[in-house]
Amino acid sequence: MNRLIRFGLMFGNLYHVTSPALVERYNRALEHLTGKRTALTDFYIDISGFSPEVGDDLGDPLYLNQGGVNRQFILLSTDQKRAPLLDAKFSTSRTILRRFIEDNEAALFALTARDAVAGELVNSVYDVSTPQRLFDIRAITVDADTTAGTVRNAEALAGKIDTFLQDEDAWFDDVLIAEMIGLAAQTGDVTRNPVKLKKMRFEQGNFWTAHFGGLYVFQKVEHPAVIASADASALGTLPLEHVFETRQRNQIARFLELNGLVEPIVAARGIDSAAILRQKMDFILVDAVTTAGVDLSGTTRADMRRLARDHAAHLPEEFHALASLVNWAENGGAWPRIASDHPAYFYTLRAADHADADLVNMLLAELTSKDVRQLFICHKQMFYATYARWPDAKKEYVAQYLAAEYQADKVGTRDALFGHDAPMEEPPASTTRTKPQTMDDLVARVGPWGAVRR
C-alpha cells in the first residue's frame, strides 16, 4: 500500500491537522462525542473527521462509527468537503456529509473559526445485527453543533429575543434580560449575524452497504432487488422478493435492463466509446500477462500491441469480445452478440442517466474488476482489497497509470467515462427501413446485446 500512498492514490486529499489550536478543538469534539482524547499532535482526517492515526492511537478504528451506523463527525474546516470518506459503511454517507457542508458553508465557516463542529448522521436504527434491520433505515437527519453548544444557544437566544420584543412586560423581567446577556456573550449578535444550521433530512433510497459482505439495495426502483457480494442464503428472509448474488450474471443483467439502469458504452452520446473499450482491453491484458510473470516496466502502446499478439492464445474471452466490439465500432466489422452470461457483458455497459448512476457504476465495477480504473474510481474499498493480492508488476503498472492518467484530470476522466450529454432530438422514424443501420436501431430492436437470458 505504500506505493499507492506515495502516488497519492490512498489517503489523498485528507485534511492535515497540525496546529495546537486545531488539535485541541479536535480533542474537545472527540471527548464530547466519545469521551476519549488523543495524545497525537499531528494527524490527517477525512470528510467526517475520522483519522486512521487517531484510530490506531485509541485502538479503535470505529471510534466515530460504532456499529457501522449513525456515523459521527467532527468538522474543523469547510475544506474537509474535498476529502474522501474512509472505510465507508454506506455509499450515501459521503454525499450527505458533503451536501451538509456545502449547504451550510457560510455558517460552518463562522462556527469553525472558533470551535469544532461535532455531529451525527442520525437514523432510527442503532445496530444492524441482522440484514433485515437495513430496511428500517428510512431517512438520515444531520444533527450538529459546536462543542460549546453555539447553535443551540443561538436558537435559545433568538427565542428569548422574540419574547422580549413581543411581551409588553419583558422590560421588567430581570431574569429574561440576564439570560439574554449570558447567551449573547457566547453566541454574539444573532440578529445581525445569525448562527443557524439547516435542518437536513435525506431519504435512504437505493444504497450500498459494507455490512454482510457487501449489499446493493435497490428498493426504490420499479423492480426492486438486493444484490449480495457474498452468500445470499446467509441473509435470511428480506423484505424484497428478489435477492441475487454477484455470480448470478443473467439475473443481474435482467434486473438492470428491466429498470433501465444501464446503457451500452457504444450507444452513449458524447464519449469516445472505442477508446474506452480499448483501455478496458489493456487492463484485461495487463491482468493476464502480469499473472504470467511479464514485467511491464516502461511499456509503450506498441509494446502493449506486441504483448497482445504474443499472448493472444492465453488472453481471456473478455479481451477478444471487446476487440470484436471495437472492430465493429471503428471498422464496420461483424456485430458481436455478447450474451449476458458472457464474461465481457458487463464490460460493455455503464450506468444510464439517472439519480443512482454512481451506485450502478459501483456495482458494474465489482462485476468487471479487471477494469482497474473503474474499480478505483467507483469502488475504492474493493480496489484496495484486490490490489493487495496482485503481482508486484501489476501493482506498479496500475499505480503509475492511475497517477499519470487519472490524477492529472479527475473531473475530465469521470466525464469521459460516465458523463451524459443532453439528449438530442430524435429524427423522424423512417417507414422504409427494413433492417437496423445504427447502434440506436439495434438497441431499440433487441436490447444492448440481444435478449438477456433469464
Side-chain angles (χ1 to χ4, degrees):
M1 297 300 182
N2 288 334
R3 183 185 286 110
L4 295 179
I5 296 172
R6 187 171 68 251
F7 281 116
L9 299 169
M10 190 175 189
F11 301 138
N13 291 332
L14 295 178
Y15 184 78
H16 198 185
V17 181
T18 55
S19 73
L22 287 181
V23 172
E24 176 54 31
R25 290 177 194 172
Y26 186 89
N27 267 324
R28 287 204 305 269
L30 184 61
E31 190 170 22
H32 175 75
L33 292 174
T34 69
K36 303 174 182 177
R37 294 176 68 91
T38 178
L40 299 179
T41 58
D42 180 2
F43 50 90
Y44 290 84
I45 59 176
D46 69 3
I47 188 172
S48 73
F50 167 75
S51 168
E53 299 141 299
V54 172
D56 186 60
D57 178 54
L58 299 177
D60 182 6
L62 294 176
Y63 69 96
L64 287 182
N65 197 21
Q66 296 296 330
V69 290
N70 294 304
R71 183 154 192 150
Q72 297 173 305
F73 60 88
I74 298 171
L75 299 179
L76 298 179
S77 169
T78 55
D79 288 342
Q80 285 175 237
K81 69 180 181 181
R82 288 183 278 272
L85 179 62
L86 303 178
D87 297 326
K89 298 301 182 184
F90 290 90
S91 60
T92 52
S93 297
R94 185 179 185 274
T95 301
I96 292 173
L97 283 168
R98 185 173 179 114
R99 279 277 309 277
F100 172 72
I101 295 172
E102 289 178 339
D103 289 3
N104 293 280
E105 193 150 8
L108 289 171
F109 182 83
L111 291 169
T112 55
R114 297 194 303 173
D115 198 358
V117 172
E120 185 175 351
L121 304 185
V122 183
N123 62 64
S124 58
V125 173
Y126 294 94
D127 77 275
V128 285
S129 53
T130 65
Q132 292 74 19
R133 298 303 304 277
L134 291 169
F135 296 88
D136 293 331
I137 305 175
R138 300 297 182 181
I140 309 295
T141 57
V142 184
D143 181 29
D145 202 344
T146 66
T147 56
T150 304
V151 175
R152 182 182 66 253
N153 291 336
E155 291 177 352
L157 177 57
K160 293 181 183 299
I161 291 174
D162 289 340
T163 300
F164 182 80
L165 294 176
Q166 295 168 10
D167 191 340
E168 294 181 359
D169 297 326
W171 282 98
F172 308 103
D173 190 338
D174 293 338
V175 174
L176 175 63
I177 294 172
E179 289 174 344
M180 290 169 58
I181 293 173
L183 289 171
Q186 301 175 49
T187 66
D189 187 349
V190 295
T191 60
R192 295 186 179 182
N193 302 294
V195 181
K196 187 176 182 181
L197 296 174
K198 295 179 182 177
K199 303 294 184 183
M200 303 188 72
R201 185 178 187 273
F202 300 85
E203 297 295 327
Q204 185 81 335
N206 304 322
F207 62 91
W208 169 87
T209 177
H211 294 288
F212 309 105
L215 299 176
Y216 299 84
V217 179
F218 291 91
Q219 55 187 343
K220 300 295 184 180
V221 292
E222 187 176 355
H223 304 279
V226 173
I227 299 173
S229 300
D231 180 11
S233 64
L235 300 176
T237 303
L238 299 181
L240 300 186
E241 178 182 357
H242 298 291
V243 181
F244 307 126
E245 296 177 9
T246 49
R247 61 183 177 82
Q248 295 177 279
R249 301 174 66 85
N250 292 337
Q251 290 90 332
I252 294 173
R254 183 66 173 163
F255 161 77
L256 293 172
E257 183 190 16
L258 284 174
N259 289 294
L261 297 176
V262 293
E263 65 182 5
I265 291 173
V266 292
R269 301 183 187 277
I271 65 170
D272 188 346
S273 58
I276 293 173
L277 293 173
R278 283 188 182 279
Q279 190 62 70
K280 291 176 184 286
M281 291 169 59
D282 281 352
F283 293 137
I284 294 169
L285 172 63
V286 167
D287 180 73
V289 299
T290 53
T291 301
V294 175
D295 184 5
L296 296 177
S297 301
T299 51
T300 63
R301 167 55 56 185
D303 294 330
M304 296 296 284
R305 290 194 296 269
R306 175 182 55 79
L307 286 169
R309 290 193 299 270
D310 292 347
H311 296 267
H314 306 289
L315 293 176
E317 292 181 79
E318 299 99 302
F319 184 91
H320 298 296
L322 293 183
S324 297
L325 188 56
V326 170
N327 187 41
W328 173 84
E330 292 187 332
N331 306 313
W335 168 249
R337 187 181 184 281
I338 304 173
S340 59
D341 58 354
H342 194 288
Y345 179 78
F346 292 110
Y347 285 91
T348 67
L349 303 176
R350 69 172 198 165
D353 188 8
H354 51 76
D356 293 306
D358 288 346
L359 180 62
V360 172
N361 281 325
M362 185 180 188
L363 171 61
L364 290 174
E366 180 165 347
L367 296 170
T368 59
S369 58
K370 292 177 184 176
D371 183 355
V372 291
R373 177 173 58 181
Q374 179 157 342
L375 189 64
F376 178 77
I377 294 172
C378 302
H379 201 335
K380 282 189 172 58
Q381 285 176 262
M382 185 175 180
F383 174 86
Y384 295 138
T386 56
Y387 174 92
R389 301 192 295 268
W390 290 344
D392 198 61
K394 183 176 180 179
K395 290 180 180 179
E396 183 65 22
Y397 177 88
V398 171
Q400 289 194 10
Y401 173 85
L402 291 173
E405 301 294 331
Y406 174 64
Q407 294 286 79
D409 185 12
K410 296 180 181 180
V411 175
T413 301
R414 287 173 180 268
D415 285 343
L417 293 174
F418 312 120
H420 295 88
D421 281 356
M424 298 173 63
E425 184 178 351
E426 293 295 333
S430 170
T431 58
T432 59
R433 182 174 294 174
T434 59
K435 62 180 180 180
Q437 300 292 321
T438 68
M439 183 66 212
D440 287 344
D441 294 328
L442 285 168
V443 172
R445 181 181 174 189
V446 298
W449 310 114
V452 174
R453 296 184 181 180
R454 295 181 180 274

